[in-house]
Every structure is written in C-alpha cells, then in structure tokens.
Amino acid sequence: MSLLVATVAVVASLPFGLATAWVLARREFWGKSLLNGIVHLPLVLPPVVTGYLLLISFGRKGPAGQFFEQCCGLVFSFRWTGAALACAVMGFPLMVRAIRLSLESVDRRLEDAAGTLGANPPWVFLTVTLPLIAPGVIAGMILCFARAMGEFGATITFVSNIPGETQTLPSAIYTFTQVPGGDEGALRLTLVSLVISMGALIASEWLARRAGGAGRIAS
Amino acid sequence: MIEVAVSQKLGAFALDVDFKTDGRFVALFGHSGSGKTTLINLIAGLTRPARGRIVIDGETLVDTARGIFVPACKRRLGMVFQEGRLFPHLSVKQNLLYGAWFAGAVDKSGAELARVAVLLGIDHLLTRYPNRLSGGEKQRVAIGRALLASPKLLLMDEPLASLDDARKLEIMPYLERLRDEAGIPIIYVSHSVAEVARLSDTLVVLSAGKMRACGPTLDLMQHVDLFPAAEGSDDAGALILATVVQQDNGYGLTKLSSRAGEWLMPRLDVPEGRQVRMQIKARDVLIAAERPDGMSALNVFRGVVAEIGATDGASVELRVDCMGETLIARLTRYSVERLQLAVGAPVFAIVKSVSFDRRTLGSGWQDLRASDAGAAAE
C-alpha cells in the first residue's frame, strides 16, 4: 500500500514540481514570494494541520473535493488516492527545491546556444535543460518518495487509518505498537521499511550516476 | 549583403552602429567594452535592439519600426561562442548534428558530417564527450556544430580569445579554410589585431559603442588613428601583401617581394610563388632621414611621409608611402622634430627581420582585392 501510494504521489506531482520549479527559478512576477511560501508551507506546518487543511478542502464537502468528484469522479477522502495526495503535498516542497536548485545552476548560455542552432524554447528545454537537470530531478523524486513513505501525520488526519485502503506503512506500524503482542508485526514492517528505503537510495544513486555521468564516461 | 543599423542602451553604455557590407569575412574589431559582443548578440537574436533594423541577404530579421523580430531559433545564423558552449551531455557527434537536426538537414549518409569533420580536423573525436576535449578541439567542434546547421551566416564571438597562443595557431588555418571553402559569409568579433589582419577582408571598428570605421581591411589597417596606442594596443601596424620569391635554407631566411621592395624574413613555411599577407607592427619600424649604412637590419625601404598622426602623448604614428605600399611607424615626438619630418619628406623605413610576428601571417588571400572592391563603407 505504502509503495503504491508513494509512487503515485511522486509520479503525479512530478509535472507540477517541474513547472513550479521552472516558474520559481526563471520567472519574475508579482506574488512570486507568495507562491514560494505556499509551496514550502507543508515543510514548516505541523503535518496534522496540513492534513486537516486537506480534509476541509479536499473532503467530500470541501470545495476542491466536490470539484474533483464532479468532473472526474475522483474521491480523495478516506481512499488511498487521498493518502497519495497527502503524501504528494508533503513531499512537494522537497521536490520543487531540488529541481529549482539544479535549474538555477544550469548554464543559460547553453540554452542560448541551442537557440542559435534552431531549437525553439520547448525543444531547448527537452534536449538541453532537462538532461542537464536530470540528477536534480531524480534527487527531488527520491526525497519526495522518502517523505511519502514516511508520511504519517497528514495522512492519518486526512484519510484516517483504514486497513487495506488507507493504511500506510507508518500507520500500520503505529497500529501494531498500540496492541499488546504487536511487537513482532511492528518489527517485521520496520524491516520491510528499511529494505525499501535502502533500495530506493541505491536505485537513485544508480540513476543519478547514469544521468549525470553520461558526460563523464567516454564511450 | 549584411545591413545593420541598430541602437541599444544598457545602463550607461550606448551602442549605436550603422553599417552595410558585402564582405565575406567581416571583422568587428574593438577593445573590451566597445560593444562588439552586444552587437553580435543583437545580430544573433539573443537580445532585442531598442531601435533599428538588421537585414541579411535581403531577409529582414529585425525592424523595430515595422515591429519585426525574428527569434534566434528561426534566424538560421550559426554562432560560435567564446567559450564553445558544447552540450556536456552529448557526444561530439551528437553536438555536431544538433543544429542539423533542427534545420532538417541531417543527411543519412553522413557525408556532410564527414566533410565538415575533416575540414576541421575533428573526425577522430566523434565518439568523445566535450569534457575530454582540449580547448582547441572544443572550439573546432563548436565551429563544426554551427556550420552543420547550414546557416546563412556564421557569427563568431572571439572564438580564439579563451585559447593560448599555440591553440590559436592551431585553429587559424581552419578558419582560413572556412573562409575560402565553406562559402558562408562570416562575422568575426575580435580584439586582436593579429587575427583581424590575418583573416578578415572587411573591417568594422567599434569604440565605446560607436562605429569608428567600416571598410576593406587593407585600407583601414593603414589608418594610423584607428588603432591608437592610447587604447592599450601595441598591435597597430600596416598589412603588407607579399609574394614568396625564394627560400634561403643556408641562413634560414625567406625572401619576399612586395611593392615596397624585397623583404628578408625568418624562414616561413610557404611555397615559392605563393602570396601571403603579413602585418608589420608600427613599433617594429624605424625611420631614418638618410640611407643607413653598416646596420644589421635587412629590410630598408625608400619612401615618403604620407601622414603624421595626432601628437598628444610622447609617441606619434607615421604613415610612410613606400612605392605604393604603406608602412606605419611609431616614433617619439622628439624624434619627429629632430629629424624634421613633415608630410612629403623623403625617408627610409627600416624593419628588423626577426621582429616579425608570425601570428599575423595569413595565406589564401588571392581574391581578396576583388572582394574588397565590392565592400561598401557607410
């Protein structure tokens, strides 16, 4: 459950993360610091507060929740999709931060050079900018994934802790610790969590080396 | 035909340039801060001018009065930057083909790629990545990348400035081949008199954002006031067209002939009968009122003083007409007065052979005079 939730959270928030990071890194506009603040809010707010805010806006009665239910039949409250949303919101600032930092370190002059070679701006982004920021994007995704795996407060507030529907790894561990004799189950899940996290780290390292190392390894 | 008439303000700096030329190798010359790079960025479309128009071969790229601005990616102008700007995530081959792909000019056989790679001497580097290239190799790949985008005009922004002298000498012959073989007009930004003298047929001189002169390189190089010492240049000097007459292997000398007379120079690796251009720096020319005797210098030419430059500092530049060939000499003002030099005075110009700067030696210049005739200064 946790894996699915975390993966969906990362994949679904990636396009938004890229767009937000690009806007924050490249554009100057009125309200930029406000957007910046909103994006980073989940990082500083207590997770329970974030979860409650999600509940009142994306719940069945919330304005955003009603909108999504009507337009595409997507229900968040007390479903696994809600858990994914909570995880995405919590991981979003980390992802945006990582991508934005790598975007800011991209040599704009390379993009100019691509322009003089006939590439229009979308192509410049695809063929030059994106490959150059790939390590940053991957780092952002991993951070977001880790955050999603560990997310507890916002999830439990927003979608509760329903086994098989919204119960994620941390909330399952929490449940085990609350019942007598649950130590064994908790330990088992802890091991699972360790393995998954370690695997994600190693995978990210490998991906980042492949993406960033393409320029360094001569064929 | 290249027509540029633009003005642009950047803080306290104002660029205001207006020229028209048919030159095949146009050098934008000026010291740092003269606006060369600003101007070439305007032509490339990386920045917008406040006012003005840019027309290349009849196609209007910018006309602020009519609201025309063609973005850089649609201009089909190849640009070579000072720092190369190769894409670090792509191999040399992918870098080279990047522009060709957008131009829709990738030919399947790879013949064009092979031709350019051989022309620039980079055919053995195709599978490497830019971080494994030397500075000179990077710059040649950057030139190839711009060429393969099949541009209508090649813009070069000080492509040699970031290289040391040895690398510059390595690239110069490729630039000459480009000029003579590629058939694409080139605009070349440089602050080096040596490069400009060796490569260009047309010269646009910029100073503090203003255009000082525009015209054939051969003519402009003879103007003593365009390359003044006051601006920190030690490089002023006349361009001489000469033909190699004989190689003297015993003394390691090369005999050349020009309109001024015969020259003896340290051995140049140029076949006999070939025409070369060489720049004789003003600081290497001595002036004598009488024919000197018992002197070590080998090159002595009879001439008359044609022009005496402005005399504000200690040194003065003198233009000497030697049988139709112009030499420029830098003397102290004191010497000018002591020798009682005036326009029309007969003098002897003395050039020490070993002082010749090889970096300024150019070849492949046979049709330069013809193309000069078509270059119009405004």
Side-chain angles (χ1 to χ4, degrees):
Chain A
M1 198 74 235
S2 250
L3 268 181
L4 173 73
V5 165
T7 309
V8 167
V10 170
V11 171
S13 58
L14 184 59
F16 300 103
L18 270 174
T20 313
W22 191 83
V23 162
L24 286 177
R26 292 291 168 80
R27 290 270 176 251
E28 284 303 327
F29 55 93
W30 187 87
K32 179 173 171 173
S33 47
L34 188 70
L35 177 67
N36 196 24
I38 291 173
V39 165
H40 283 91
L41 211 53
L43 210 57
V44 288
L45 271 182
V48 177
V49 174
T50 310
Y52 186 68
L53 282 173
L54 282 172
L55 188 61
I56 51 177
S57 53
F58 282 89
R60 279 240 139 112
K61 302 251 166 57
Q66 278 177 351
F67 170 76
F68 277 108
E69 190 173 354
Q70 274 159 20
C71 86
C72 40
L74 201 60
V75 178
F76 290 108
S77 56
F78 304 109
R79 295 284 169 81
W80 70 269
T81 46
L85 177 67
C87 292
V89 167
M90 296 301 290
F92 198 65
L94 296 170
M95 177 186 275
V96 169
R97 233 185 142 68
I99 298 175
R100 179 186 173 176
L101 283 177
S102 60
L103 257 180
E104 279 168 353
S105 68
V106 165
D107 192 344
R108 301 291 298 271
R109 297 174 306 175
L110 285 176
E111 297 177 357
D112 281 349
T116 64
L117 290 165
N120 62 14
W123 275 112
V124 171
F125 184 79
L126 274 180
T127 58
V128 177
T129 318
L130 204 55
L132 289 177
I133 63 169
V137 172
I138 291 167
M141 284 167 69
I142 295 304
L143 282 171
C144 183
F145 183 79
R147 184 77 206 241
M149 283 292 292
E151 166 45 37
F152 180 73
T155 315
I156 209 159
T157 317
F158 182 29
V159 294
S160 182
N161 184 3
I162 307 163
E165 181 65 43
T166 65
Q167 190 171 57
T168 59
L169 218 131
S171 50
I173 294 176
Y174 175 76
T175 312
F176 274 121
T177 59
Q178 295 303 302
V179 293
D183 285 355
E184 198 193 323
L187 207 60
R188 214 169 48 228
L189 286 182
T190 308
L191 274 178
V192 170
S193 155
L194 256 172
V195 168
I196 292 175
S197 306
M198 205 60 204
L201 264 181
I202 290 169
S204 77
E205 192 83 343
W206 182 75
L207 275 174
R209 194 164 300 163
R210 263 198 47 179
R216 255 156 268 142
I217 305 158
S219 48
Chain B
M1 171 70 100
I2 300 162
E3 293 176 69
V4 176
V6 286
S7 56
Q8 171 84 309
K9 245 189 151 69
L10 294 166
F13 176 79
L15 179 77
D16 197 358
V17 176
D18 186 349
F19 68 91
K20 221 184 256 187
T21 174
D22 266 327
R24 303 295 298 167
F25 198 114
V26 181
L28 298 182
F29 174 84
H31 297 286
S32 357
S34 59
K36 312 182 294 286
T37 298
T38 311
L39 180 57
I40 206 157
N41 282 343
L42 282 172
I43 298 174
L46 296 174
T47 45
R48 269 171 202 259
R51 260 181 309 109
R53 50 191 239 115
I54 297 172
V55 181
I56 310 285
D57 286 333
E59 191 188 346
T60 306
L61 298 178
V62 175
D63 191 336
T64 49
R66 287 196 286 153
I68 297 176
F69 179 82
V70 180
C73 59
K74 299 223 174 86
R75 291 196 180 188
R76 302 284 299 273
L77 308 177
M79 177 121 175
V80 179
F81 298 90
Q82 189 173 340
E83 343 70 57
R85 301 198 192 178
L86 299 180
F87 303 124
H89 58 292
L90 299 178
S91 70
V92 167
K93 187 176 174 184
Q94 289 167 320
N95 262 291
L96 286 171
L97 291 176
Y98 187 90
W101 191 69
F102 285 108
V106 181
D107 78 282
K108 295 284 183 289
S109 63
E112 185 65 10
L113 174 72
R115 193 182 67 79
V116 169
V118 169
L119 176 77
L120 295 167
I122 49 177
D123 42 329
H124 58 294
L125 305 171
L126 292 179
T127 55
R128 285 207 211 165
Y129 280 83
N131 60 329
R132 292 272 305 264
L133 299 178
S134 72
E137 289 167 344
K138 274 184 196 161
Q139 230 32 4
R140 279 184 282 156
V141 173
I143 293 168
R145 183 177 69 174
L147 264 185
L148 281 166
S150 43
K152 287 178 298 192
L153 173 72
L154 205 53
L155 305 170
M156 297 193 174
D157 185 6
E158 307 216 24
L160 305 185
S162 59
L163 307 174
D164 57 41
D165 279 353
R167 295 285 91 66
K168 280 182 189 162
L169 280 181
E170 170 195 318
I171 294 192
M172 281 284 203
Y174 294 110
L175 290 176
E176 285 176 337
R177 282 170 74 179
L178 207 63
R179 177 190 69 202
D180 301 333
E181 293 172 25
I184 301 169
I186 296 171
I187 297 185
Y188 186 96
V189 165
S190 180
H191 66 260
S192 152
V193 177
E195 288 170 24
V196 166
R198 175 165 172 178
L199 295 166
S200 70
D201 59 33
T202 305
L203 192 55
V204 175
V205 182
L206 296 176
S207 172
K210 299 276 172 294
M211 193 177 75
R212 295 275 306 276
C214 170
T217 306
L218 266 186
D219 298 353
L220 289 189
M221 291 296 281
Q222 294 167 1
H223 285 281
V224 294
D225 56 324
L226 281 177
F227 306 93
E231 284 185 47
S233 159
D234 242 0
D235 292 337
L239 268 186
I240 307 289
L241 272 181
T243 310
V244 176
V245 178
Q246 197 189 340
Q247 298 285 8
D248 183 341
N249 289 327
Y251 288 105
L253 293 174
T254 296
K255 191 194 261 183
L256 302 109
S257 91
S258 79
R259 276 181 293 174
E262 286 200 335
W263 298 76
L264 278 171
M265 286 294 178
R267 196 186 146 78
L268 308 169
D269 284 322
V270 178
E272 288 172 15
R274 177 76 73 81
Q275 197 176 51
V276 295
R277 62 159 111 178
M278 50 190 187
Q279 191 202 12
I280 304 301
K281 292 189 174 169
R283 59 160 195 235
D284 295 331
V285 179
L286 304 176
I287 296 293
E290 293 160 27
R291 177 172 278 281
D293 279 324
M295 240 184 63
S296 69
L298 295 169
N299 305 302
V300 180
F301 305 102
R302 182 198 290 273
V304 292
V305 176
E307 185 184 346
I308 296 178
T311 54
D312 43 353
S315 64
V316 179
E317 278 169 2
L318 224 61
R319 192 153 67 86
V320 181
D321 186 344
C322 305
M323 332 279 275
E325 191 87 74
T326 296
L327 280 174
I328 296 174
R330 183 177 299 160
L331 311 179
T332 60
R333 200 156 43 144
Y334 175 66
S335 304
V336 173
E337 275 172 27
R338 203 168 52 102
L339 295 176
Q340 294 175 334
L341 296 177
V343 172
V347 290
F348 290 88
I350 302 148
V351 182
K352 210 176 160 189
S353 299
V354 292
S355 63
F356 173 61
D357 180 353
R358 280 163 185 279
R359 284 183 304 153
T360 65
L361 182 76
S363 62
W365 221 34
Q366 41 284 27
D367 50 8
L368 186 85
R369 293 259 178 201
S371 68
D372 274 352
E378 227 186 36

